[in-house]
Amino acid sequence: MSSNTISPETLRTEYVTPDKCIFSLNPSGFLAAEIDGKAYKRVILTRSLPLTLPDEYICISDIEKNEVGIIEKISAFSPEQQKLINSELSQRYYCPVIEKIESIKEKMGHFYFDVVIGGVKKAFAVKDITKSIRQHGDAIDVTDIDGNRYRITDFASIEAKSRRKLEPYLY
């Protein structure tokens, strides 16, 4: 078999269940796991579908980025295990929540947002507004020119003034 050939073994996905997987923190504070009796001193978690199914299909990889399994649903794990999983994911997928939009101004092809996040004013720029704003049900994600993502968790629940400022850019 040549190195360019993909074998069925390569494509096989192993789902990890709570009875065969235990997460813990290693002495350095990183996430570790024991899966089917095999110890991994450090594991990396990534969401397969971060926007549409953030709590399902979580990929577990070893430190060399080799996939060791997939968590089908975080909710299948105990509350203690869920806390470890969610803590790891929140570090990788940090996404500040926009509480209020004070202004959106266009200048030379860029859109400048003045928003409130956690009670603090924040400003960021967006280059291509049609590609940088995505609506997912009630939530809206905005990606700035540096690749940082901001979220409005429930568009209908923010004040009407803020909604009116963003509505022209929602297609």
Side-chain angles (χ1 to χ4, degrees):
M1 205 180 279
S2 76
S3 62
N4 293 336
T5 305
I6 298 174
S7 70
E9 182 67 25
T10 306
L11 296 174
R12 195 177 78 204
T13 300
E14 294 288 334
Y15 285 100
V16 174
T17 57
D19 60 323
K20 296 183 179 185
C21 177
I22 298 173
F23 292 100
S24 61
L25 294 179
N26 69 23
S28 299
F30 294 108
L31 190 66
E34 185 177 315
I35 302 171
D36 280 332
K38 184 173 180 184
Y40 296 89
K41 294 180 181 181
R42 183 168 180 199
V43 293
I44 300 163
L45 303 181
T46 51
R47 291 181 166 118
S48 298
L49 302 164
L51 300 177
T52 56
L53 295 171
D55 296 331
E56 298 178 29
Y57 305 106
I58 309 300
C59 180
I60 306 168
S61 302
D62 63 16
I63 197 65
E64 286 85 32
K65 298 186 180 171
N66 298 309
E67 182 181 304
V68 296
I70 302 251
I71 297 170
E72 192 169 5
K73 292 183 181 203
I74 295 173
S75 62
F77 285 78
S78 72
E80 297 81 20
Q81 292 289 288
Q82 287 181 42
K83 186 176 178 181
L84 289 171
I85 293 166
N86 286 322
S87 175
E88 177 72 14
L89 289 170
S90 70
Q91 291 176 40
R92 177 173 296 281
Y93 294 95
Y94 175 68
C95 183
V97 175
I98 296 172
E99 299 164 357
K100 180 180 178 183
I101 299 171
E102 295 195 337
S103 70
I104 302 173
K105 296 176 185 162
E106 188 207 357
K107 190 188 288 182
M108 298 181 65
H110 286 73
F111 290 82
Y112 295 89
F113 283 67
D114 288 313
V115 300
V116 175
I117 297 172
V120 177
K121 290 184 179 186
K122 166 88 175 145
F124 60 88
V126 170
K127 186 172 184 176
D128 184 347
I129 201 156
T130 60
K131 292 181 181 177
S132 300
I133 296 178
R134 293 282 178 249
Q135 191 163 3
H136 310 281
D138 296 332
I140 294 175
D141 291 332
V142 181
T143 306
D144 72 8
I145 59 173
D146 296 320
N148 300 310
R149 192 166 46 109
Y150 303 88
R151 175 165 273 194
I152 298 170
T153 53
D154 185 2
F155 186 61
S157 71
I158 65 171
E159 65 181 34
K161 270 171 95 171
S162 291
R163 281 196 312 273
R164 283 193 300 274
K165 289 175 181 143
L166 190 58
E167 282 172 341
Y169 308 108
L170 299 175
Y171 308 16

